[in-house]
């Protein structure tokens, strides 16, 4: 089962515009030759496309033995038996997706360094129900407000 991340369109557009504006401004001092402009512009465009691809391709896949969190070329495989707790979080500027307004979920899991990941699925309640089915030993409070 695949769940997509909820994207904040307004925030994405603002960040995209700011990156382009600051990128254009930072290229001005390097306009000494055409080859320099081409190289710097190409590097900038590749970077912007990579970031945009990463931010808009985040998804959460329930595989047979693990939860796969994927964004662009980055993947996190979290075995179901290692998930210990799920809680609501209001930390906006951390995790796989930066969002200005939404409350996300924080998944705690056992690793060598006590892992945790913050996510924001489009349909949190369905995601949590699916996670409860696959992780019956995880602490997922019934009374916590996930909406």
């Amino acid at each position: 089962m695949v769940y997509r991340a909820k994207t904040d369109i307004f925030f994405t557009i603002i960040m995209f515009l700011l990156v382009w504006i600051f990128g254009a401004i930072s290229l001005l001092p390097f306009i000494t030759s055409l080859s320099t402009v081409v190289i710097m512009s190409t590097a900038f465009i590749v970077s912007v496309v990579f970031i945009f691809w990463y931010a808009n391709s985040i998804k959460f896949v329930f595989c047979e033995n693990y939860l796969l969190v994927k964004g662009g070329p980055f993947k996190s495989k979290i075995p179901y038996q290692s998930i210990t707790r799920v809680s609501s979080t209001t930390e906006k500027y951390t995790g796989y997706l930066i969002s200005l307004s939404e409350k996300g979920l924080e998944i705690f899991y056992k690793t060598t360094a006590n892992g945790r990941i913050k996510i924001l699925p489009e349909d949190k309640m369905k995601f949590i129900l699916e996670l409860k089915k696959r992780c019956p030993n995880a602490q997922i409070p019934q009374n916590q407000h996930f909406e």
Side-chain angles (χ1 to χ4, degrees):
M1 183 162 273
V2 177
Y3 292 88
R4 299 207 54 81
K6 188 174 190 176
T7 55
D8 190 340
I9 300 299
F10 176 74
F11 183 68
T12 303
I13 291 170
I14 294 296
M15 289 304 294
F16 192 72
L17 290 174
L18 286 174
V19 166
W20 278 100
I21 290 168
F22 285 117
I25 291 170
S26 66
L27 285 176
L28 289 178
F30 296 105
I31 300 178
T32 56
S33 69
L34 182 62
S35 63
T36 304
V37 171
V38 169
I39 291 169
M40 295 296 286
S41 297
T42 303
F44 176 72
I45 290 170
V46 167
S47 300
V48 169
V49 168
F50 178 78
I51 292 169
F52 192 72
W53 170 48
Y54 165 76
N56 290 303
S57 68
I58 298 171
K59 60 185 172 183
F60 317 107
V61 182
F62 283 97
C63 298
E64 188 173 331
N65 297 320
Y66 57 87
L67 173 65
L68 176 66
V69 181
K70 187 171 191 291
F74 305 108
K75 297 178 188 175
S76 294
K77 289 182 180 179
I78 305 170
Y80 296 129
Q81 70 270 16
S82 71
I83 295 175
T84 58
R85 182 167 53 108
V86 177
S87 65
S88 182
T89 183
T90 57
E91 293 182 39
K92 299 174 186 175
Y93 303 111
T94 59
Y96 258 71
L97 183 63
I98 296 172
S99 175
L100 287 178
S101 61
E102 294 292 325
K103 289 184 178 180
L105 299 174
E106 189 166 15
I107 298 175
F108 295 86
Y109 56 97
K110 292 183 269 184
T111 64
T112 55
N114 290 330
R116 67 184 203 172
I117 190 167
K118 295 174 192 84
I119 62 172
L120 182 60
E122 281 182 345
D123 191 345
K124 285 188 241 177
M125 292 310 294
K126 283 185 180 178
F127 181 86
I128 290 168
L129 289 173
E130 185 67 28
L131 197 60
K132 281 182 182 180
K133 288 180 198 173
R134 296 176 185 257
C135 308
N137 296 329
Q139 296 175 350
I140 305 173
Q142 298 292 334
N143 60 353
Q144 192 166 8
H145 186 61
F146 286 109
E147 297 275 345

